[in-house]
Amino acid sequence: MLMRTDPFRELDRLAQQLTGVSGTWSRPSAMPMDAYREGEEYVIALDLPGVAKEAIDIDVERNMLTVKAERRPLVKADDVQMELSERPLGVFSRQLVLADTLDTERISADYEAGVLTLRIPIAERAKPRKIAIGGQPDHKQIRS
């Protein structure tokens, strides 16, 4: 139902973990996701812990689905001294090529407990259907 668009995304993620460098607008970090079919819908769940709902942007153009989010540092008082900072900050993005069998006009999105869930219905034209066999055309008898 979907294709990965960047085969080097996993290598970038590993490099980010080793270097501790977070995503930027020009080079966003990947966000982990699950994708599966549930009945007549295709479901994509993306992990975005600590991201405000207002900081998530979802676009679809033709068959390209793009999800971008930004996690900003918490505003701290002047007398706060950071001792440890391991939680990733910055820009996160994921692009997916959706199959033609999905109805991109009816995508729904929910965000709860740091998980963005997109539900994409299977297009009617992609669902299995029965084909009726037509009867023989009526031939009128010609009388002389």
Side-chain angles (χ1 to χ4, degrees):
M1 292 293 180
L2 59 92
M3 292 180 5
R4 292 183 178 223
T5 57
D6 186 356
F8 299 104
R9 177 77 75 176
E10 189 65 18
L11 291 174
D12 288 344
R13 187 187 64 76
L14 291 171
Q16 176 189 340
Q17 284 181 339
L18 294 173
T19 63
V21 176
S22 297
T24 64
W25 282 106
S26 61
R27 188 93 175 133
S29 299
M31 56 187 84
M33 70 170 228
D34 291 333
Y36 54 93
R37 183 173 175 163
E38 184 176 70
E40 297 299 316
E41 292 180 317
Y42 201 70
V43 181
I44 299 170
L46 300 134
D47 282 349
L48 294 169
V51 174
K53 181 179 176 180
E54 299 77 32
I56 301 171
D57 186 40
I58 307 165
D59 289 315
V60 65
E61 184 177 339
R62 294 189 186 157
N63 289 20
M64 179 67 73
L65 174 72
T66 303
V67 178
K68 277 193 174 184
E70 184 174 11
R71 183 171 175 193
R72 297 182 177 154
L74 298 174
V75 178
K76 298 175 197 74
D78 292 335
D79 62 344
V80 174
Q81 182 178 349
M82 183 61 78
E83 296 292 330
L84 180 66
S85 180
E86 294 181 342
R87 296 171 40 204
L89 301 173
V91 180
F92 302 88
S93 179
R94 196 73 186 240
Q95 282 192 314
L96 304 168
V97 177
L98 302 177
D100 290 332
T101 57
L102 299 176
D103 186 352
T104 58
E105 298 292 321
R106 296 183 8 210
I107 296 175
S108 66
D110 293 308
Y111 186 60
E112 185 178 335
V115 178
L116 175 66
T117 303
L118 303 173
R119 295 186 173 277
I120 310 167
I122 306 296
E124 287 298 320
R125 68 181 179 278
K127 293 179 184 176
R129 61 191 183 282
K130 294 279 185 185
I131 306 297
I133 300 173
Q136 295 292 330
D138 289 335
H139 293 287
K140 295 184 180 179
Q141 291 183 346
I142 301 175
R143 294 187 184 195
S144 346

